[in-house]
Amino acid sequence: MKGKEWYQADDVAQEYESKRFSRGGQLIDRREKRAVLDSLGPVADADILEIACGTGRFTSMLAGKGANIVGIDISDAMLAQGRRKARDSGVSDNLELLRGDAARLPFPDDHFDAVFAVRFFHLAETPATFLTEMARVSNDIIFFDTFNHRSTRIIYNWLLPMGSHLYSRSRVEELLSDADLAMVDDTHDFLFPYGFYRKIPNDLARGFRDIDKSLGDGDFGDALASVSYWTATVTTDSTTTGRTDLETPHNVPDEAVTADD
């Protein structure tokens, strides 16, 4: 089973986090959450939209930090997991999860202070359409990640149920320009592929993660990194009249991303 059918299956939703973010995958979860917080900066009282919110890893975290968060996803099964997570975290009243199409977002222009998507663009058949819609409904920040065309992912990409679209920097810059977005920041990470970390115990994964970060420091690491995190801002008057605390990325200390987030 491939594509959307795989993603929307009940058993995939139920096992999604346990398969990806247990064992060494916990390091990936922490890194992705830190990347989101770094890009968004202070989120208290900010209006934020997550595209492809899945099981609610980020929506519950941001709601717990005071954001007004809306998540949208195509999978009812994933959304059910997200609502359960929100109830368990005590933040159900602070977020809204909707089923919908990211190519036709049901929100007016400039509605959110920030719009982000994690683990989405590698699945996007029409990335330009999705990014343009994200830019339309944001009055300031856009954040997303991509898997890279020079990374080790090319070795096993064809095996994955969903497959993946891999991106070069020039392709991302083209997409940003076409969507009237200006890049604010980019970071690149994980020389060792995600699948490697998920297969080994967390304690062992920490040692490899230290090696990964050491080898990945600099232009060499950036070129071969598995994933890139991109922060951009809309190139309209709203960038100067919107929320000042979301205009540039902020480095959030690691201790701000706890195991409970």
Side-chain angles (χ1 to χ4, degrees), residues 179-196:
D180 292 326
L181 293 167
M183 190 183 300
V184 174
D185 188 54
D186 61 288
T187 57
H188 314 273
D189 207 344
F190 288 103
L191 290 179
F192 297 129
Y194 285 172
F196 169 76

Side-chain angles (χ1 to χ4, degrees), residues 83-99:
R83 294 186 181 103
R84 184 175 296 111
K85 184 187 298 292
R87 289 194 299 271
D88 292 345
S89 301
V91 296
S92 294
D93 294 338
N94 301 334
L95 62 83
E96 184 176 11
L97 300 179
L98 306 172
R99 188 178 190 278

Side-chain angles (χ1 to χ4, degrees), residues 9 15 25 27 43 48 51-52 58 69-70 74 86 97 107 120 134 142 156 164 170 188 200 208 211 213 234 239:
E15 299 176 355
L27 296 174
V43 298
I48 299 174
I51 304 296
F58 304 106
I69 180 77
V70 176
I74 197 172
L97 300 179
F107 309 106
F120 171 67
M134 291 172 69
I142 300 291
Y156 62 92
S164 286
S170 61
H188 314 273
I200 59 178
F208 280 100
I211 297 171
K213 289 190 287 187
V234 293
T239 54

Side-chain angles (χ1 to χ4, degrees), residues 202-216:
N202 199 37
D203 289 343
L204 183 59
R206 290 193 188 99
F208 280 100
R209 180 65 175 140
D210 289 340
I211 297 171
D212 195 321
K213 289 190 287 187
S214 177
L215 293 174

Side-chain angles (χ1 to χ4, degrees), residues 7 16-17 21 32 36 49-59 69-76 78-79 82 96-103 105-107 115-124 130 134 143-145 162:
Y7 180 76
Y16 183 81
E17 291 197 31
F21 308 117
E32 290 179 335
V36 169
L49 171 67
E50 181 184 4
I51 304 296
C53 63
T55 57
R57 284 193 299 137
F58 304 106
T59 51
I69 180 77
V70 176
I72 191 169
D73 200 279
I74 197 172
S75 169
D76 285 325
M78 289 284 184
L79 290 170
E96 184 176 11
L97 300 179
L98 306 172
R99 188 178 190 278
D101 184 355
L105 295 173
F107 309 106
V115 179
F116 75 97
V118 176
R119 299 202 185 204
F120 171 67
F121 272 83
H122 69 292
L123 306 176
F130 293 123
M134 291 172 69
F143 171 77
F144 62 100
D145 67 335
M162 289 291 284

Side-chain angles (χ1 to χ4, degrees), residues 15-32:
E15 299 176 355
Y16 183 81
E17 291 197 31
S18 63
K19 284 189 173 182
R20 284 159 180 77
F21 308 117
S22 60
R23 298 168 64 85
Q26 295 177 45
L27 296 174
I28 300 169
D29 181 54
R30 288 178 61 86
R31 178 65 181 98
E32 290 179 335

